[in-house]
Amino acid sequence: MKKLIFIFLFALAAPAAEKAPNAFLQYVKKRAAALRAMDRTPATLAEWQTQRTMIRKKLLRAWGGFPEEKCELKPRILGTEKRDGYRVERIIFQTMPGVWMTANAYVPDGPGRRSAVLCVHGHWRGAKQDRTVQARCIGLAKLGFFALAVDALGAGERGIGKALGEYHGEMVAATLWPVGRPLSGLQVYENMRAVDYLLTRKEVDGDRLGITGTSGGGNQTMYAGAWDERFKAVVPVCSVGNYQAYLGVACCMCEVVPGALRFTEEWGVLSLTAPRALMVINATQDGIQFSVAEAKKSLALTRPIYALHGKPKSVKHLPVESKHDYNEPMREAMYGWMTLHLKGEGNGAPMDEPKIETVDPEKLRCFPGESRPDDWLTIPQLAAREGRRLVAQLEQSNWADDLDEVRHALDVHVLGGTKPRPTQLLKDGPESPTRLIKFSPEPSIRLTAAETLGEASRKKGRVIFLSLDGEVKLTENKLAAALQQSGHTVLSLSLRATGQHAYARDAIRRAPDHNTAEWSLWLGQPLLGQWVRDLRTLLDQLGTEPVTVVGDGPAGVVALCAAALDERIAHTVTVGSLASYISDVPYTNQRLGLMAPNMLREVGDIPHLAALIAPRRLTIAGAVHGSGKALTSTELKASFKFTGRFFKGGSFIVLPNGDDQAILRILK
């Protein structure tokens, strides 16, 4: 397959064999199966319509909603190239205020209004310019279709940098989670705006529109095709399987719909397309989540929906002997399907492809080289703009009037529920010098806390150390060792999916917990919420004695959330932790699991989380920007000025950095 498939098309890689099944993966799979155990085909069309309304409502909520008012498109044609039988235009138009979509239109020669197909790309380096995308657009244009190829947000010409080949997933797309606008939903909305643009073209018949794409573009096709009923023919390629098949492999952030498994499986989304024409194309040599077998599971429940509509022939499944691709046989099948359902011609069988000659991707760019405007809005900048708006809105509202309601929103709506479940102490080891406290916060999840007694046992109370890198060892942590020597009981907890419990193939670039964090989002249980439950369950094992919790680095956010919800934590200390979810650049040296959807919308930013701890003690020992850069002393005080309003006396202390001796003096 002679294509520059983007290096981060990691979703195709099957996980390597492990010596023993990972407990966390077992947990998410069992949880997902339980959530969807009652799925069945509705018996009547009326029953389906009720379920359809529910799925659409919850999909929209998961995507954070769409703007109530559409901004002006303000389209501009930046250049045109005449070719044999058609022309190619380089176009930009506005999808949201200040957000511009780059596009190429392939316009057949001759008069009249034509059927049009929106061509969305997957994780190919060239995005809309890639030869894989060019090929289907040229084929469509030569067959008389108006084809529009668009760059997805953060890809192609719309990355953080100006060169092609940038990846829009992991910690880039992660900046969107706290504002509650996941990339999957933004792609749907932007593709709807692309339809709005198509309807402005005199060459296009707005009643005859289709959409197609492969891989990540196939996901875009499925969701936009399901949501926007202006698409009369929908052809996702190398993308359809089912949600549960994602659990155990990696996928792009643009494919994740938070909490989807709580209200549907992939068949429910596919069925939203009914009775409009749907053809699903799968490759026989693809990743499990896009495999023929998994697609059959979804289509087995989708086909009856088409039958209820009286349109059983409007849905088709086509396996193609191939690797992950959008090759000539796949394109020819798409041409035939679009010709039947958009033009009313033929019988839907594959059509021979015209002669295809692609060009250097650089020749199709709207902004060649470094010519893109410097004020181009990137994904992190868009997320930061929305985050600042949400925080300003919260602070201007009655946020402080009912903090119990804010805590409820944090616990239930953001973290997915953190209240400890009834559990048994699995093993309580000897009292000295170290005892192991083993417990199970969830079925199949078993954790261990190591407690080291101080020289003057428990005279100065317990200190729980949290690190997302695993168990904190006294030989490696000066602060923990000093506290133990001064008479504190020091306890280290290794949280689920971290340290000794980590999944072996979890990291993707800047996100060390990429896969486990994504699997958790499918369940509607962000890792942050699960980590808080782990800590709160441990507190159940320790009795009623107040404790101090120290969160090191990214674990400081876990400590803040837990303390906001659990009054047994008398003193919270964060050391070099994240100061704000709002970041104009991708997160660096953070955890994807901390990026709980809707945090900024429902609760607020890190300083708001910290304020929920009042009037109990809180120490902020240094902090970092989303970029990983440490805040200056002035920046630190300004960042937590809001927090200070809720504390009295010396219960809230801000230290310029994580100096061990300064923290030790406070804890003494």
Side-chain angles (χ1 to χ4, degrees):
M1 187 167 52
K2 296 181 179 180
K3 296 180 173 69
L4 291 174
I5 297 181
F6 194 44
I7 191 172
F8 298 114
L9 189 58
F10 45 76
L12 305 182
E18 298 184 54
K19 294 181 180 179
N22 179 266
F24 184 78
L25 179 55
Q26 286 183 307
Y27 165 70
V28 294
K29 284 187 172 183
K30 289 179 181 178
R31 178 66 180 147
L35 287 170
R36 305 311 328 152
M38 301 303 292
D39 276 7
R40 63 179 181 83
T41 299
T44 66
L45 188 58
E47 185 181 341
W48 163 243
Q49 293 293 359
T50 299
Q51 189 170 356
R52 183 180 190 276
T53 299
M54 178 275 294
I55 293 173
R56 283 182 64 91
K57 179 180 179 180
K58 293 190 175 182
L59 265 179
L60 186 60
R61 183 181 301 164
W63 288 331
F66 297 146
E68 294 181 4
E69 295 184 6
K70 295 179 179 179
C71 69
E72 292 183 70
L73 289 168
K74 299 181 180 179
R76 294 168 55 198
I77 298 177
L78 303 180
T80 301
E81 178 190 349
K82 182 70 178 70
R83 296 188 186 174
D84 182 20
Y86 67 100
R87 69 180 184 273
V88 179
E89 298 174 351
R90 294 180 286 114
I91 302 164
I92 61 171
F93 52 87
Q94 188 177 226
T95 59
M96 294 171 279
V99 180
W100 294 87
M101 178 173 263
T102 46
N104 293 134
Y106 294 71
V107 188
D109 293 343
R113 299 169 70 229
R114 301 174 180 275
S115 302
V117 178
L118 178 62
C119 292
V120 289
H121 64 80
H123 298 100
W124 273 258
R125 280 190 177 274
K128 70 172 171 62
Q129 292 88 190
D130 198 275
R131 294 180 190 273
T132 303
V133 180
Q134 288 185 51
R136 81 188 82 133
C137 292
I138 294 169
L140 285 164
K142 288 194 169 187
L143 291 170
F145 293 87
F146 185 111
L148 182 68
V150 296
D151 277 330
L153 188 61
E157 297 194 76
R158 306 178 68 195
I160 295 171
K162 297 182 180 183
L164 297 180
E166 196 171 297
Y167 179 53
H168 63 185
E170 44 98 26
M171 288 307 203
V172 177
T175 58
L176 293 164
W177 290 113
V179 301
R181 298 293 301 277
L183 191 51
S184 57
L186 284 172
Q187 287 180 334
V188 170
Y189 183 71
E190 286 209 305
N191 288 330
M192 291 167 63
R193 298 311 321 270
V195 172
D196 293 340
Y197 171 72
L198 284 170
L199 297 182
T200 70
R201 296 293 300 247
K202 63 181 181 180
E203 304 95 335
V204 171
D205 182 345
D207 293 326
R208 297 186 292 160
L209 303 179
I211 183 171
T212 189
T214 190
S215 188
N219 274 269
Q220 291 187 60
T221 298
M222 178 179 72
Y223 287 117
W227 189 264
D228 194 332
E229 297 181 0
R230 294 175 294 182
F231 291 118
K232 299 303 188 290
V234 179
V235 184
V237 179
C238 288
S239 61
V240 171
N242 66 67
Y243 292 150
Q244 291 178 68
Y246 279 116
L247 308 178
V249 297
C251 66
C252 179
M253 294 281 282
C254 71
E255 299 171 63
V256 179
V257 179
L261 278 165
R262 289 197 173 192
F263 59 87
T264 192
E265 246 288 0
E266 202 159 316
W267 73 268
V269 176
L270 290 167
S271 297
L272 296 179
T273 308
R276 293 169 289 125
L278 170 67
M279 180 167 69
V280 173
I281 300 177
N282 287 98
T284 57
Q285 303 171 51
D286 214 334
I288 186 172
Q289 72 276 38
F290 305 146
S291 66
V292 174
E294 297 301 322
K296 284 182 176 180
K297 293 178 183 178
S298 292
L299 288 166
L301 292 174
T302 300
R303 291 184 186 279
I305 303 300
Y306 274 81
L308 290 174
H309 282 280
K311 295 281 188 178
K313 294 183 179 180
S314 290
V315 59
K316 182 178 181 179
H317 186 206
L318 179 65
V320 176
E321 183 61 36
S322 171
K323 295 182 179 180
H324 194 79
D325 200 356
Y326 203 147
N327 55 29
E328 185 175 332
M330 296 170 175
R331 296 194 298 268
E332 291 183 336
M334 179 268 291
Y335 300 147
W337 191 254
M338 294 294 186
T339 297
L340 171 62
H341 292 284
L342 297 184
K343 293 184 176 182
E345 300 172 4
N347 61 4
M351 295 178 62
D352 290 342
E353 184 171 75
K355 183 180 179 181
I356 301 294
E357 292 184 6
T358 61
V359 300
D360 182 345
E362 289 292 325
K363 293 183 178 180
L364 291 171
R365 296 184 63 173
C366 296
F367 301 104
E370 297 290 313
S371 63
R372 193 185 74 183
D374 291 334
D375 61 354
W376 193 265
L377 204 65
T378 67
I379 285 179
Q381 289 169 347
L382 174 63
R385 183 179 76 178
E386 177 66 4
R388 293 184 184 103
R389 185 190 69 81
L390 290 171
V391 168
Q393 182 175 289
L394 279 174
E395 292 185 357
Q396 291 168 8
S397 69
N398 58 348
W399 185 88
D401 291 349
D402 193 346
L403 294 183
D404 286 339
E405 184 62 29
V406 178
R407 292 185 184 95
H408 176 79
L410 171 64
D411 189 10
V412 177
H413 301 310
V414 176
L415 300 181
T418 70
K419 184 178 180 181
R421 296 186 172 96
T423 185
Q424 289 184 334
L425 190 65
L426 301 177
K427 182 180 179 182
D428 194 356
E431 286 293 321
S432 181
T434 300
R435 71 164 178 155
L436 300 180
I437 304 171
K438 298 185 178 182
F439 61 100
S440 179
E442 312 269 13
S444 79
I445 299 291
R446 295 192 173 192
L447 302 179
T448 301
E451 184 174 62
T452 304
L453 304 181
E455 294 176 358
S457 178
R458 296 187 184 173
K459 285 187 176 180
K460 294 187 177 180
R462 277 192 173 101
V463 178
I464 300 175
F465 267 78
L466 296 180
S467 170
L468 298 183
D469 294 324
E471 180 183 339
V472 175
K473 298 179 180 179
L474 294 184
T475 55
E476 299 174 0
N477 190 291
K478 293 181 180 179
L479 177 59
L483 284 167
Q484 189 266 340
Q485 292 170 5
S486 67
H488 289 83
T489 299
V490 179
L491 193 152
S492 175
L493 171 62
S494 184
L495 300 162
R496 73 178 76 184
T498 72
Q500 63 183 339
H501 309 296
Y503 181 67
R505 293 169 56 87
D506 210 3
I508 300 293
R509 295 189 74 213
R510 286 169 290 211
D513 56 345
H514 183 277
N515 298 336
T516 51
E518 284 195 338
W519 304 338
S520 299
L521 289 177
W522 284 112
L523 301 177
Q525 293 179 281
L527 265 181
L528 177 58
Q530 296 182 57
W531 289 330
V532 170
R533 171 172 283 166
D534 292 345
L535 177 54
R536 297 186 72 187
T537 304
L538 173 62
L539 294 178
D540 281 356
Q541 316 307 314
L542 301 179
T544 59
E545 179 185 342
V547 301
T548 293
V549 174
V550 177
D552 185 38
V557 180
V558 182
L560 291 176
C561 288
L565 299 173
D566 204 310
E567 294 186 352
R568 291 175 292 183
I569 300 175
H571 189 176
T572 308
V573 182
T574 67
V575 184
S577 299
L578 189 65
S580 173
Y581 278 114
I582 298 171
S583 179
D584 292 291
V585 297
Y587 297 122
T588 301
N589 297 328
Q590 294 299 323
R591 292 289 185 129
L592 184 57
L594 299 180
M595 311 309 159
N598 291 306
M599 179 69 83
L600 290 166
R601 186 186 297 267
E602 295 279 351
V603 178
D605 204 358
I606 301 295
H608 299 79
L609 283 173
L612 294 175
I613 297 171
R616 287 165 289 132
R617 297 181 68 193
L618 171 64
T619 299
I620 304 292
V624 297
H625 295 283
S627 66
K629 181 181 178 182
L631 272 68
T632 66
S633 179
T634 300
E635 290 174 331
L636 191 63
K637 290 178 180 179
S639 294
F640 288 93
K641 181 179 179 181
F642 176 87
T643 307
R645 302 174 192 169
F646 296 81
F647 290 83
K648 295 181 180 179
S651 57
F652 177 50
I653 297 174
V654 177
L655 299 175
N657 53 53
D659 178 71
D660 293 342
Q661 292 304 311
I663 297 171
L664 185 62
R665 285 193 293 271
I666 292 171
L667 293 180
K668 283 183 176 181

